[in-house]
Each structure stands twice: as C-alpha cells, then as structure tokens.
C-alpha cells in the first residue's frame, strides 16, 4: 500500500524512523477513510444549505427556525473546510479491545454509520486528555499528532501497559507537550487542543452549576482552560445552548481578544460571544482611566452601583394634587389617588422609560372610564355608532399640554448619561442618592465635565441604562403598531376583493373573514425592527478571564447578565495590580455569589525556569503568599541584564537569529513597533505570550504592589528569553 502522493505524514528527515509503515499504515488507512467521508459530508452540506436558502422564508417561528438551520449548516461547513484531515487530534488504544479510537475537533461518521472521529468534548473522548500513568483510564497507549500545513510533521506515543509497547515509536509521555511549548509564537494563540494536560482537562469538563474559580499563576494554562471550557460547556450542557442564552466570554482587553480569536473556531464552536468589560457599555470605547485613585475607589463599590436605584426613584414620584383634564367632549377630573394608582400600574422590574408608557395607558383607561368608553374592538359591529372613538379620545388626551407636562415632570423620560453625569456635577443630588458619603468624598467626586467618562463610570452607566431602558422604546412601539394597522388595512382590502369575487360566498374562502387568519397574513418583513444588543444578555453562562482585576462595581455588570449565576472565573490573586488580600470565596460572596468552587492550577507549562527564578522574588517581595507555579521547562537561555541603550541591538540580533516568532518590548512607550515586535504596557500584555520579552526600565514601574505585579506579569510573558534593561 503506497501513500506517496496522498500521505497524511510529511515527517522531516531526522524523524525518518517514525515513517516506518509498520507504525503509520493503520493511521494512513484511517485518514483515507476520513478524507473520503469529509468530501461526502461537505458535498451533502453544500446541497442542504443550497436547498434551505432556496426554500421560502416563511414567517414567525418558521422563519426563525430556517435561519437557525442555515446558521448551523454554515458553521459546520466552515469547520470542515477550515481543517480537512487535521480535524484529527490523535487516537488512543483501549487496553481491553486493542482498537484505536480517533479523537477529532468535531465528530465524523462515514456513510455506513462507522464512527471515524469522536468529538473531543464527548465523555468517551475524556481518556485522551485525562489519562496518566497513575490513572490510565483503561488505555494501553495514546498517540498525539502535530499538524503543519495540513500534514503530520511529528507524532508522539505514550504507553500505559506493557502491551502498549508493541509498534510504538516514542515513549516519553511529556515529549509532545514539551515540544509544543518550545515552538515559536505568532500573532494569534497557537492550537493547543491536542496537548491539553490532565489537570487542565479536569477543569474544562467540570460542571456548570454555580461559580467555578480557576486559580493559577502565569503559564498554568488559565486562558487555554477558559477558552476550551467555553466550547465544551456549549456542547455538553443542554442548559447552555444558544436558544437558552449561550455563553459570554469576557477578556481583559482587545489585544487579548485578537490574540485568542482563532481558538474557539478551531474547537468547533463559533457561537460564543466575546468582549471586554468596556464593550458592554456604549461609552466604554472612549472612556479614559480615572486619574484620581481615591475617586476610582469610591466608584468601585457595589453600593455606588445600587445608588442608581435611588437616583432614578427621585424621578418617579406621583403628583400630590389632582387636576382637571380638558378634552373635546368634557372636562374630566384626575385625583391624586388616580395618579398614585397609575404610577403603581407597571410591573416590578419594568425599566423606567418603558414603565412611563404603561402609566400613560393607565391614565387613559381611568379617563375613558370617566367618559363611559370601552377599549376599541375592531370586530364590534356597533363601533361606528359610538359618539366618541376611543382612538380619537386617545389622540385628544395627547394634545392636552397640561396633562403631558404634569406626567413629564413626575415621570420624565431619562437618559443614562444624564443621570450618571448629574451625580458628578450636582452635589445635592449625589448626597441624596449616596447618603453614606461624607462631605469631602462628595466634593472629590464632582467634576467640571459631567460626561468626561472614565472606566470607573462604566458600571454606573450600565446600571443606569438597565434601570432606565430605552427612552425611544414607546415611540418605536407606536410606530410598530401603526405599521401593523396599515398592514392589516392593506390585507383587509385584498381580502375584501377576494370575497367580493367569490360568487357563492361560501367555502374555505370565507375563513378569510376571521381576524386570527388575517393577522397571520400580515407581512412581518414590512414592519420596522431594531437590532438587539448582543451583549445585553441574559446569558446562560459567563466566562471571565483576568477576573482578579474586577472591582465590586464591575462584577455587577456581569451578574446582571447572568441570572443563573453560572460562571467560570479565571484569575490569579498574585497578578492583581491593586492587591487581592481576600480569598476568592470572600470576594465573590461579597459581590453576590453563593455557590463557589475553587480549582487550582499549579504547574507552569509556559515560562522557562530561568525566567521564573528571576520573576518569583519580585512578586513575593510584595505578596509573600503569592501562588507562584512551578515551571517544568528550561529554555537553556539565561536572563540577560543590560542598559536601555542595548534595546535595538538586542532586537536586531534576535530577529536575525530567528526567522519566526514574536518579540515584545514592555515598558517603553517611545518604542515604534516593527514586524514581529510588539510594544505594550504591562497591563496590556496580560494573557499574551512572546518568544522574547525586552523589559525596559522596570524600576520605573513603582515600588508598591502595582509596580511589583507589573514587573512580574511582564517577565512571565517570555516563553524563551527575557532581557531586562535598566536606566
């Protein structure tokens, strides 16, 4: 059997022994079956997708189901086209049956129903990731592939029983993983699914009820776990499906999201919403850093977020005196009790601006009762004989300037930016809404420009927008109702023509007289619509990385979007720039969570021992109890110390010696980025990794906790070499 032209293996010369047909022939046969099945699956999906797109769109739920199916087929087709044979991660051989089971990014079955690839997220695939020599989970051996440009450039075998030695080429159970750690970095996070370790896999597959904290230092794979867990939960937990809210993934900053952008699609999952905290609020894009640390501290409490309720409640007080309402037919009396009844009409939790329309409707109902009018019924045969049309009466009330002005004063339409801005420019208003603040704190929170937004304002803006709702919702609803009425009128004319043409006036055509059937004929595509806010939630599960940096106020932004309180919380207390003296349990209970579990990752797979030896004393000097992970890898390259003047020479030498890989200069704002060389602050480097890190003037980062954490974070971004330049 020859595979020269179509072989899945392209091993370099020094790995020639691994190309022995005795070792790879079974794999080659299986890959041939995968290739054939892939071609069939792609052709079938293309046909089904084309048929769905050509089919009538339908209406209502039918149209939505069609769109969902088109989205599902498109995503599946994109995944199969994206990877081809490298859908396969590897295989394991069971100790009892001796049959290989191949693990894939997606499941794949041939035309005869034979399982060619087992989805990595399925329970049956767990031993591929979780088996160890201490707990082989019924495996005799395991093989992992390294794919390069669609072909296998290396593979590694691990054996768990004596029988597993037969026909195996590589026996070092860490070789695959260690080799992957030493590979060069790129602008995007590399694929690591095939080398997930057992401690990481256990966290990925943990249940989703309550809050799971994934605590670990640099290089322990927290980000890897967070991303893989997002894809796993959507596959494995039916409570978290897209129609039930789906998963929101929150990263620390945009460079981080760009770095990990390819990971979720490579895991067979494109339905996870990703964002930063800034993205949750419209003002986030332009918000600056709060210049005064004390102001930032005051705004960071959950109590300040709760002050928004009081701030809005001030604008929800009913008039205490009655009034006379003048209409075209009679003067009607509205008492103070009528106002109070109308103000109590909205259901609890109704946003302020949307509740206003409900109050107006209640006022209209009260006044219609005074006039002896009933709600308009289009099917009432006597509606034309009424002296006053309910719709005409409503229009008359809207023209009463005193009535509308009184309602506007007692329950005005509000904008979130105005409510929050007033807190920082009207001391009496802030004192009323946040009575626990003392005079000096109130003075300190005031500023000249009400809407000079900072990142510390975002949780309050978010809370205000949720409490207020859309001030234009009522207008859009009236426009929608008017459009529906116009469509009904158009359909009534069409139906009238059909009925008039029906000579007998009997049969199925007479069913067109029914209102329910007429309503189904209204063209929904002709009605005005608005795009929903994809980040407003609610979400069934929220994953948040670098969670140690979140303030209590920022936590409220996430909890409001996750009513189930099902979260994955990823972070490292030792990397909190403003200190994190509490336990995770204490911090999260304070912000409103109660079901909390903590899983710790303690092995540093990324950062070389040489770098960790330099970084550990830096963080322990400020945080003696820091959870510093143990590095399992040596790069053989010592940390280089020099002067700032060496920066360009260091970079030139590294670029000349390394045709691939990415370097980063951290702490030098004057440095201009080059090809394969980034320039970042310590804060923006969080979550990223680079072959070379050039740390410039770390002494300028400060001597407190924040400075120590910045140096620690910056150093541990290096996966091969660290250069520290002072002066």
């Amino acid at each position: 059997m020859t595979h020269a032209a179509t072989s899945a293996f392209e091993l370099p010369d020094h790995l020639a022994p691994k190309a022995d047909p005795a070792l790879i022939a079974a794999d080659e046969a299986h890959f041939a079956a995968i290739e054939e099945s892939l071609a069939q699956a792609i052709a079938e999906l293309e046909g089904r997708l084309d048929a769905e797109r050509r089919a009538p769109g339908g209406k209502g739920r039918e149209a939505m189901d069609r769109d969902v199916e088109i989205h599902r087929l498109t995503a599946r087709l994109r995944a199969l086209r994206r990877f081809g044979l490298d859908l396969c991660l590897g295989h394991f051989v069971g100790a009892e049956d001796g049959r290989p089971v191949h693990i894939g990014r997606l499941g794949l079955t041939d035309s005869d129903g034979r399982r060619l690839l087992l989805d990595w997220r399925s329970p049956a695939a767990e031993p591929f990731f979780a088996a160890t020599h201490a707990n082989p989970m019924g495996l005799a051996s395991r093989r992992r592939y390294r794919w390069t440009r669609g072909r296998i450039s290396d593979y590694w075998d691990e054996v768990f029983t004596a029988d597993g030695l037969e026909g195996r080429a590589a026996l070092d159970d860490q070789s695959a993983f260690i080799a992957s750690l030493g590979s060069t970095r790129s602008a995007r996070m590399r694929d690591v699914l095939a080398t997930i370790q057992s401690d990481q896999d256990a966290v990925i597959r943990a249940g989703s009820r309550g809050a799971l904290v994934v605590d670990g230092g640099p290089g322990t794979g927290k980000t890897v776990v967070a991303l893989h867990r997002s894809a796993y939960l959507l596959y494995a937990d039916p409570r978290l499906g897209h129609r039930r809210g789906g998963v929101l993934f929150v990263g620390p900053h945009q460079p981080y999201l760009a770095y990990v952008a390819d990971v979720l699609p490579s895991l067979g999952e494109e339905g996870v919403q990703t964002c930063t905290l800034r993205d949750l609020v419209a003002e986030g894009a332009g918000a600056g850093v709060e210049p005064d640390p004390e102001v930032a501290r005051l705004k960071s409490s959950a109590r300040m977020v709760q002050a928004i309720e009081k701030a809005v409640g001030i604008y929800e007080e009913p008039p205490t005196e009655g009034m006379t309402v003048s209409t075209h037919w009679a003067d009607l009396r509205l008492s103070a009790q009528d106002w109070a009844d109308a103000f109590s009409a909205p259901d609890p939790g109704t946003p302020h601006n949307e509740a206003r329309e409900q109050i107006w409707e209640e006022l209209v109902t009260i006044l219609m009762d005074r006039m002896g009018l009933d709600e308009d019924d289009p099917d009432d045969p006597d509606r034309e004989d009424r002296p006053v049309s309910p719709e005409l009466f409503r229009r008359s009330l809207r023209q009463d300037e005193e009535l509308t002005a009184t309602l506007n004063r007692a329950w005005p339409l509000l904008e979130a930016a105005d409510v929050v801005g007033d807190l920082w420019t009207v001391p009496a208003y802030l004192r009323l809404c946040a009575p626990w603040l003392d005079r000096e704190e109130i003075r300190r929170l005031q500023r000249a420009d009400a809407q000079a937004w900072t990142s510390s304002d975002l949780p309050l803006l978010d809370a205000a927008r949720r409490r207020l709702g859309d001030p234009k919702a009522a207008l859009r609803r009236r426009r929608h109702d008017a459009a529906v009425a116009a469509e009904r009128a158009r359909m009534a004319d069409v139906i009238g023509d059909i009925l008039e043409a029906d000579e007998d006036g009997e049969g199925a055509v007479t069913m067109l007289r029914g209102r329910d059937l007429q309503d189904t004929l209204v063209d929904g595509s002709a009605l005005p619509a608005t795009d929903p806010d994809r980040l407003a939630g609610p979400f069934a599960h929220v994953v948040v990385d670098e969670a140690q940096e979140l303030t209590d106020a920022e936590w409220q932004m996430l909890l409001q979007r996750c009513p189930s309180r099902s979260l994955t919380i990823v972070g490292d207390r030792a990397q909190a720039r403003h200190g994190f003296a509490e336990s995770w349990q204490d911090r999260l209970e304070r912000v409103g969570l109660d079901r909390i579990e903590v899983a710790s990752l303690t092995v540093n797979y990324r950062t070389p021992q040489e770098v960790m030896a330099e970084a550990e004393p830096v963080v322990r000097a400020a945080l003696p109890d820091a959870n510093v992970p143990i590095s399992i890898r040596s790069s053989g390259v010592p940390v280089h110390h020099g002067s700032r003047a060496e920066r360009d020479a260091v970079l030139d030498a590294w670029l000349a010696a390394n045709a691939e890989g990415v370097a980063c200069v951290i702490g030098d704002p004057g440095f201009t980025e080059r090809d394969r060389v980034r320039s970042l602050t310590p804060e923006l480097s969080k979550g990223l990794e680079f072959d070379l890190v050039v740390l410039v003037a770390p002494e300028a980062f400060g001597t407190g906790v924040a400075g120590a954490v910045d140096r620690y974070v910056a150093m541990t971004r290096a996966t091969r070499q660290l250069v520290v330049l002072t002066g």
Side-chain angles (χ1 to χ4, degrees):
M1 187 174 183
T2 304
H3 301 280
T6 60
S7 173
F9 291 83
E10 287 187 1
L11 302 174
D13 292 343
H14 71 279
L15 296 178
K18 287 189 175 184
D20 185 343
L23 298 175
I24 65 173
D27 277 352
E28 291 280 32
H30 196 80
F31 283 127
I34 290 176
E35 197 162 34
E36 179 180 354
S37 184
L38 269 175
Q40 293 176 350
I42 288 173
E44 179 187 346
L45 283 170
E46 288 173 338
R48 290 170 60 188
L49 186 58
D50 184 61
E52 284 288 344
R53 286 172 171 164
R54 291 174 180 271
K59 297 180 180 178
R61 182 58 181 265
E62 181 183 348
M64 185 174 70
D65 288 344
R66 173 179 174 271
D67 290 344
V68 169
E69 180 63 8
I70 288 175
H71 176 78
R72 187 188 70 81
L73 292 173
T74 302
R76 175 76 175 183
L77 186 59
R78 190 160 46 238
L80 295 182
R81 286 172 171 166
R82 176 188 178 103
F83 287 102
L85 282 179
D86 53 350
L87 278 171
C88 187
L89 305 171
H91 71 249
F92 62 75
V93 177
E96 292 188 3
D97 56 23
R99 292 184 300 178
V101 176
H102 287 76
I103 309 301
R105 302 174 187 280
L106 301 171
L108 186 67
T109 304
D110 67 13
S111 57
D112 297 325
R114 180 169 64 107
R115 176 65 70 181
L116 298 177
L117 291 175
L118 194 63
D119 193 297
W120 71 273
R121 295 168 288 190
S122 68
E126 185 176 358
F128 180 77
F129 303 98
T132 64
H133 288 283
N135 179 22
M137 300 181 70
L139 301 192
S141 65
R142 171 172 56 198
R143 173 172 290 184
R144 303 176 192 255
Y145 306 120
R146 171 182 285 174
W147 293 91
T148 304
R149 293 182 292 276
R151 290 292 179 263
I152 295 172
S153 57
D154 202 352
Y155 68 90
W156 298 269
D157 290 318
E158 305 153 52
V159 298
F160 302 98
T161 67
D163 294 339
L165 286 168
E166 184 178 353
R168 300 296 166 228
L171 304 182
D172 178 3
D173 65 347
Q174 289 291 326
S175 62
F177 191 55
I178 296 298
S180 72
L181 294 175
S183 61
T184 57
R185 266 52 185 172
S186 67
R188 298 287 180 93
M189 177 179 272
R190 68 190 188 285
D191 176 21
V192 296
L193 179 55
T195 52
I196 289 292
Q197 297 300 282
S198 58
D199 59 337
Q200 298 168 337
D201 185 70
V203 178
I204 291 169
R205 295 176 188 268
S208 64
R209 296 186 181 275
L212 174 67
V213 177
V214 184
D215 180 77
T220 55
K222 300 187 299 300
T223 297
V224 166
V225 166
L227 292 164
H228 288 67
R229 181 165 166 77
S230 300
Y232 171 79
L233 289 176
L234 272 176
Y235 173 90
D237 192 334
R239 298 181 304 108
L240 308 183
H242 300 302
R243 290 189 179 181
R244 294 172 174 82
V247 174
L248 175 68
F249 185 99
V250 183
H253 46 69
Q254 284 299 331
Y256 169 96
L257 292 183
Y259 180 59
V260 303
D262 287 342
V263 176
L264 284 167
S266 77
L267 301 175
E269 183 52 69
E270 297 184 346
V272 177
Q273 295 287 345
T274 62
C275 70
T276 68
L277 281 172
R278 286 177 175 267
D279 296 330
L280 298 178
V281 183
E283 295 83 357
V289 176
E290 188 69 61
D292 186 339
E294 178 61 14
V295 169
R297 184 189 69 79
L298 292 171
K299 293 180 180 179
S300 70
S301 71
R303 200 176 186 186
M304 186 63 79
V305 174
Q306 293 159 6
I308 293 297
E309 179 64 33
K310 177 67 173 177
V312 176
I314 291 172
Y315 294 98
E316 298 180 345
E317 294 294 332
T320 57
E321 296 181 358
M323 64 178 294
T324 299
V325 178
S326 296
T327 73
H328 293 81
W329 302 272
D331 290 341
L332 305 173
R333 187 68 181 168
L334 267 181
S335 67
Q337 185 58 50
D338 292 332
W339 280 105
D341 292 342
F343 273 46
S344 64
D347 295 329
T350 303
H352 170 91
N353 290 324
E354 296 171 27
R356 186 184 185 280
E357 189 68 10
Q358 296 179 25
I359 292 169
W360 173 261
E361 288 300 321
E362 186 65 20
L363 290 171
V364 171
T365 299
I366 291 171
L367 293 171
M368 286 178 64
D369 288 344
R370 300 271 157 82
M371 281 287 293
L373 296 175
D374 296 326
E375 287 291 340
D376 196 10
D377 181 359
D379 295 326
D380 184 355
D382 299 325
R383 62 194 298 258
E384 300 296 335
D385 298 329
R386 297 177 185 175
V388 180
S389 160
E391 181 57 34
L392 189 59
F393 183 75
R394 287 173 179 272
R395 289 204 298 269
S396 176
L397 290 179
R398 287 197 181 275
Q399 294 173 6
D400 188 316
E401 294 182 1
E402 185 180 359
L403 175 62
T404 55
T406 302
L407 179 58
N408 286 339
R409 286 193 299 271
W411 197 294
L413 292 175
L414 298 173
E415 295 278 0
D418 293 334
V419 170
V420 177
D422 285 350
L423 291 174
W424 315 142
T425 54
V426 184
Y429 183 48
L430 178 58
R431 186 177 300 110
L432 190 61
C433 299
W436 61 88
L437 296 174
D438 62 32
R439 186 179 299 275
E440 173 57 25
E441 289 171 335
I442 290 173
R443 184 201 63 77
R444 195 157 193 165
L445 286 166
Q446 300 301 295
R447 65 189 182 205
D449 185 349
Q451 298 188 9
W453 305 120
T454 71
S455 56
S456 298
D457 294 323
L458 301 184
L460 286 90
L461 286 164
D462 185 61
R465 194 155 283 125
R466 286 180 168 274
R467 177 64 179 83
L468 294 172
D470 186 353
K472 297 180 181 178
L475 177 60
R476 280 201 301 270
R477 190 175 298 112
R478 287 198 295 272
R479 287 176 176 172
H480 179 274
D481 292 345
V484 169
E487 273 293 292
R488 281 177 175 164
R490 186 180 69 83
M491 290 308 305
D493 290 341
V494 173
I495 291 169
D497 292 341
I498 295 173
L499 292 174
E500 187 176 343
D502 181 27
E503 296 180 358
D504 298 331
E506 297 179 357
V509 74
T510 61
M511 294 174 62
L512 291 171
R513 297 185 188 276
R515 168 50 64 92
D516 289 343
L517 181 56
Q518 291 180 20
D519 285 347
T520 65
L521 299 176
V522 172
D523 183 6
S525 64
L527 302 178
T530 57
D531 294 329
D533 181 357
R534 296 180 301 106
L535 300 178
F539 293 92
H541 189 85
V542 171
V543 180
V544 54
D545 202 354
E546 301 294 345
Q548 74 278 351
E549 300 293 355
L550 268 61
T551 66
D552 290 3
E554 288 170 337
W555 271 112
Q556 305 311 306
M557 300 171 72
L558 299 183
L559 297 185
Q560 287 297 316
R561 289 166 170 77
C562 189
S564 67
R565 298 299 191 263
S566 173
L567 299 104
T568 299
I569 298 162
V570 183
D572 177 16
R573 293 170 57 246
Q575 294 186 57
R577 297 187 72 252
H578 302 292
F580 197 136
E582 307 163 280
S583 67
W584 280 109
Q585 191 88 18
D586 290 341
R587 164 68 64 84
L588 297 176
E589 285 179 353
R590 190 177 73 238
V591 301
L593 294 171
D594 51 8
R595 294 177 298 169
I596 305 164
E597 294 185 17
V598 179
S600 293
L601 298 174
T602 58
V603 178
N604 187 332
Y605 299 106
R606 179 188 70 208
T607 315
Q609 294 166 355
E610 293 85 353
V611 174
M612 287 307 297
E614 186 95 6
E616 181 173 359
V618 170
V619 72
R620 287 208 186 279
L623 300 166
D625 64 340
N627 177 16
V628 179
I630 299 173
S631 176
I632 63 170
R633 186 172 66 91
S634 172
S635 68
V637 181
V639 175
H640 173 74
H641 289 266
S643 70
R644 190 169 189 164
E646 297 179 55
R647 184 196 66 193
D648 291 343
V650 167
L651 290 171
D652 291 341
W654 184 84
L655 289 168
N658 295 272
E660 296 181 342
V662 180
C664 185
V665 175
I666 300 179
D668 191 345
F671 176 75
T672 301
E673 291 190 351
R674 309 186 198 175
D675 184 36
R676 296 196 293 130
V677 183
R678 300 283 306 278
S679 176
L680 295 170
T681 64
E683 185 175 4
L684 289 180
S685 72
K686 280 191 172 182
L688 309 182
E689 51 189 32
F690 304 93
D691 298 277
L692 167 70
V693 167
V694 179
L695 185 56
V696 179
E699 67 276 8
F701 293 176
T703 57
V705 171
V709 167
D710 281 348
R711 290 191 290 275
Y712 180 59
V713 168
M715 290 176 174
T716 55
R717 302 308 96 192
T719 63
R720 289 190 177 184
Q721 182 179 4
L722 172 64
V723 173
V724 181
L725 305 179
T726 58

